[in-house]
Amino acid sequence: MLERRHFIQQSTLMATGLLLPGMKGFAISTKEDYDKKNISDFSKRLKPLGRILELKGYYVWGCSPIVAPDGKFHVFFSRWDSAKGMGGWISQSEIAHAVADNAEGPYSKVETILAPRGEAYWDGTTCHNPHIQFIDGVYCLFYMGNSNKKTNTKRIGLASSTSLNGPWKRSDKPLLEAGPEGSWDDHCTSNPSFIKHPDGEYWLYYKSWNTYEYENPVDPKIRGNRKYGLAISKNLEGPYYRYSDKPIIDYSKLGNNRQLEDGNVFNENGKFYMLARDMGRFDHEVGIILESYDGIHWSEPKISYFGVSHYLKQPPKPKHLSKYGRFERPQILMQNGSPTHLFVTTQGGQFETSSPFVFSITKK
């Protein structure tokens, strides 16, 4: 009788989205650590579906989704040998592809599509943080590469194909080089997000920081202050020109090294939104969302989603996972002009590495 009652309770929780399969009766707790005025309506539209792509022997990161004409769900993600630890992303990440019938999986047909090409190329030592879009009849895979296993050669490039199954043609040169010495973005260009603007222009959002700040002589523990810039082109393949010599999002003046990263821009009902990882506006656990009417001038952030513990129960933090308990690399799945799923990445899982996590998004 007790077992039957427990089964009914679990079934009810799973039906309402308060319990994920495999959670063994753990219901989501209510997050009360934040002022209600700072919690976005977007966060209330999220329903957790669970982890995907837990691959033995790999860290999996940065998962970007798209739906094919046949209704199949395709994802493009970073992965690297788990023996290299979390830091392996900078020196040997590759971009892989997988397919499923549903956003939450299970995913199959996992294959590497972009691997480092050797130090003679801009993406010679890593291929990382993919961002997939369908633009002008072409599948466009924006990503970050480097050529010396370090951050100062991180650049954004493009691989394109007429099919999600490839083959993929890579750009010989980055879409956007770092800025001139002394500029806010002279260190790198990274973490691309892309939209085709309603006026027909091609807008590339990117993360960067200043080399002087990165090599901070006052506090070596501070490795730069991440800001967001915008580059615009009349053509998909470029050339891309900076909208301004200043970042469009800069939290550095707020002090305490406040910043953001992993920005992902999308449109809904005529408005621009950016999802990002918080780095001090609230804390280092939640995600944030910003709004804009022009894609350039952005609102103050609100919380877009909470930390991992708000949605599922995990074992205690393993010593080797320093980013445990937070979601990173938010990527939106758009269908018929509306966001339907949120893909993020988090450390942990059955192999104590990292893997993507999927939420469904209810309509407004």
Side-chain angles (χ1 to χ4, degrees), residues 262-279:
D262 293 343
N264 181 213
V265 178
F266 64 97
N267 293 97
E268 184 178 20
N269 297 330
K271 187 183 288 189
F272 295 82
Y273 295 88
M274 177 186 282
L275 289 170
R277 180 171 88 84
D278 187 25
M279 299 184 73

Side-chain angles (χ1 to χ4, degrees), residues 245-266:
D245 62 358
K246 296 180 174 60
I248 60 169
I249 303 176
D250 179 3
Y251 293 157
S252 63
K253 294 179 181 178
L254 299 176
N256 295 324
N257 205 35
R258 292 184 178 94
Q259 51 191 306
L260 77 165
E261 70 169 356
D262 293 343
N264 181 213
V265 178
F266 64 97

